[in-house]
Amino acid sequence: MFSSTARASLKRGPTRVLQNASVSSVNLTSTCPRRHYTAVAFQDPSEDPSTPLTNLRSNPYTFTPDISFQQTQNGTAVARYNQKLFMQFSRRNSVGCFQTAAEMKSEGVVPNTETYNILLGVACANATSLDCFAIHADMLSVGIQPNLETYNVMLRSCYDSRQFWFVMEEMKKRDIAPSNETYQTLITYFLNEKNLEMPIRYLQEMRSANIAPTLDTIVSVVETFARLGYSRFALELAQDFETSSPRLLGNQVWMSCLASAAESLWGPGTEECWDIVVSKLNLPVSEGVCLAVLRTAARNALPALATKAITEISNSKLPIKEYHFIPLIKALADGNGLKTAIQALPFPIFDVLKEDVDVLDSVWTHLDEMHTAGQAIETAAMNAVVQAAVFLGDLQRAMGAYKSFGDYNIVPNRDTFRFLLDGAIVAAHRDLGDLLLQSMVDLNIEPDATTFEQMIKLHLTQEIYDDAFDYLERIKACQIVPPGSVYEAIAVKCAIHEDGRYQMLVSEMRELGHPVTRSFIATLARYSKAAKGGSTEHAGEEEDARVRPLDYNS
């Protein structure tokens, strides 16, 4: 609001400044319906008022309409009908388009190339390629020459390779050079048909003719080749496109290249795609792709790549599991980094050592170097050596590793004896099992239910297996319910030797709630005449059951 003094001054009239200056009239410059108003400018009263002002920043915009263009295009009947056709086509009114074409014919309006192109677009979107060819034939019959847009629309309607060849021959006959849109339609068709030779041919033709492919064309080719396992070509094509063009491929294209290279176990390509996807584009990688990258790293001895993949999994807030580290250990071992693997992650090296006896023997050199350097060797590392020897069926190597624990100041633990007992079971070496059990007691390692289960399986490999019942009672003494597999193993052994105690075991299984299946009863029936006599009421159709007896000696 104005103050009282300001209001009074306004009532008295103009100020001295306004009395000494005159405001020029507003210049109106307009040669079109929209008027342009100039800015208000102050002029010296001594100057001629008719002198034009020159202190504007730019001259007013003027527009001179092209009367000849309006008369030749918008003013002609065919132009009005073409506009009507296009409006109906944009509204997907195909019936209205052909009704308008019939109206043009009844009024004697001669169509032009644009008219037929619109009708071809209607037929391509709502009819079949045969309708497009019929429109093309009618176009030629009235003496109207098709152009590039005509044949591009016809190509989009084709569904058979013979139709494509016909259209391309028509273009060649009229000296109409194909465009990048033409090649895009051709390449897309052959990609959908999984014909990978023709897209490569057309891309080479485009390069020779200096025609830049569309972005959608390159994306379709790269993703199709990546999906079908041609990771090398997909990566080379993507890199060549971004090098020679200012356009950039989408994130999904590079992610497809990464997944394809990893699935193909292509080490250099996987490393290159990983740098692009993670380092440059900063994209998150799913756990499935990371696992494929880990397998590739293990196969190609790339521990750095495996480490990056594990880091990406950790950054994704996913739990790190043991199977994530196994490829890293494999990559370290194949890359002469077995010593590093033993120092960093001793337990998963079992998956590396079990591959070959030579690899297993090479670990002793690294263990000696670590021991000489005063580095502590974990029990898990030695257990991995024992487990690998048992896995390879070399019980002698396993016992040698066990006896060398003291040389490295390592004390065996429960897992050590568990692996050795597995080897004794495979070798049916009862005396070794008894020795290992006594060694556990000497080291104050109390046998648990798993240990007794292993001892039962070991005694079942012998002709005299009475001690298996003693270990069964020792499991019960630990206040642990013996698993059903233990009862089944002892019962089958008794049935093989026609030992009637298997019936007691079956009854005890039912009392403890273990399932007594029909297949199990049928297995007993194969080895015992007493079982065939139907001594158990739940046997039921033993003769019809077809069960392969389990090999409990393995």
Side-chain angles (χ1 to χ4, degrees), residues 94 381 528:
S94 57
S528 175

Side-chain angles (χ1 to χ4, degrees), residues 8-141:
S9 62
L10 290 174
K11 292 179 181 180
R12 287 196 296 269
T15 63
R16 183 176 299 176
V17 176
L18 294 178
Q19 291 175 356
N20 294 333
S22 63
V23 180
S24 65
S25 60
V26 177
N27 290 333
L28 302 178
T29 304
S30 175
T31 58
C32 64
R34 178 178 292 179
R35 295 184 177 183
H36 179 83
Y37 296 92
T38 63
V40 177
F42 291 94
Q43 186 173 346
D44 191 344
S46 62
E47 296 181 0
D48 185 4
S50 62
T51 303
L53 299 176
T54 59
N55 57 348
L56 295 177
R57 289 177 296 179
S58 62
N59 293 329
Y61 171 75
T62 60
F63 171 73
T64 303
D66 188 356
I67 305 300
S68 61
F69 175 81
Q70 294 179 358
Q71 289 179 348
T72 56
Q73 297 295 324
N74 298 334
T76 61
V78 64
R80 291 194 299 271
Y81 274 110
N82 285 345
Q83 185 178 7
K84 185 177 180 181
L85 280 171
F86 182 78
M87 292 298 295
Q88 291 173 339
F89 171 64
S90 61
R91 295 169 183 167
R92 300 181 180 180
N93 185 5
S94 57
V95 177
C97 288
F98 287 103
Q99 289 177 349
T100 302
E103 183 180 347
M104 291 178 63
K105 184 176 181 180
S106 63
E107 293 186 5
V109 179
V110 179
N112 57 12
T113 305
E114 183 181 357
T115 307
Y116 278 100
N117 287 345
I118 296 174
L119 293 176
L120 283 171
V122 174
C124 178
N126 300 280
T128 63
S129 59
L130 298 179
D131 296 311
C132 291
F133 285 106
I135 295 174
H136 174 260
D138 185 76
M139 183 180 186
L140 297 177
S141 65

Side-chain angles (χ1 to χ4, degrees), residues 127-292:
T128 63
S129 59
L130 298 179
D131 296 311
C132 291
F133 285 106
I135 295 174
H136 174 260
D138 185 76
M139 183 180 186
L140 297 177
S141 65
V142 298
I144 298 176
Q145 294 299 320
N147 57 12
L148 178 61
E149 179 63 23
T150 304
Y151 291 111
N152 283 340
V153 176
M154 291 181 65
L155 285 173
R156 289 197 295 269
S157 69
C158 295
Y159 60 87
D160 186 84
S161 59
R162 291 173 297 179
Q163 296 177 346
F164 281 103
W165 305 140
F166 173 79
V167 175
M168 296 301 294
E169 287 296 329
E170 289 291 320
M171 293 178 65
K172 185 177 180 180
K173 188 186 303 182
R174 292 172 175 78
D175 294 330
I176 298 178
S179 63
N180 54 5
E181 183 180 352
T182 308
Y183 283 111
Q184 178 180 348
T185 305
L186 292 170
I187 290 174
T188 301
Y189 168 78
F190 287 106
L191 287 177
N192 294 333
E193 294 293 323
K194 295 184 179 180
N195 185 343
L196 304 182
E197 181 180 354
M198 296 305 296
I200 298 176
R201 171 186 170 185
Y202 286 128
L203 288 175
Q204 187 62 34
E205 286 185 8
M206 295 177 70
R207 183 185 292 271
S208 302
N210 199 20
I211 299 176
T214 62
L215 182 62
D216 292 338
T217 302
I218 298 298
V219 169
S220 300
V221 174
V222 172
E223 290 190 342
T224 301
F225 274 78
R227 184 176 64 255
L228 296 178
Y230 297 93
S231 55
R232 293 176 183 268
F233 182 81
L235 180 58
E236 291 175 0
L237 182 61
Q239 291 175 333
D240 180 73
F241 178 78
E242 288 204 346
T243 302
S244 60
S245 173
R247 296 168 293 177
L248 298 178
L249 298 173
N251 298 338
Q252 183 59 36
V253 176
W254 291 110
M255 190 66 72
S256 299
C257 290
L258 173 61
S260 178
E263 291 293 339
S264 302
L265 301 177
W266 180 31
T270 305
E271 285 186 308
E272 195 165 355
C273 291
W274 183 273
D275 291 337
I276 295 174
V277 171
V278 178
S279 302
K280 294 182 180 180
L281 300 179
N282 197 24
L283 298 177
V285 183
S286 64
E287 185 182 10
V289 177
C290 287
L291 290 176

Side-chain angles (χ1 to χ4, degrees), residues 532-552:
K532 290 182 180 180
S535 58
T536 57
E537 58 180 354
H538 297 280
E541 300 184 43
E542 299 99 356
E543 299 297 334
D544 295 335
R546 298 179 180 179
V547 181
R548 181 179 181 182
L550 299 177
D551 186 8
Y552 293 99

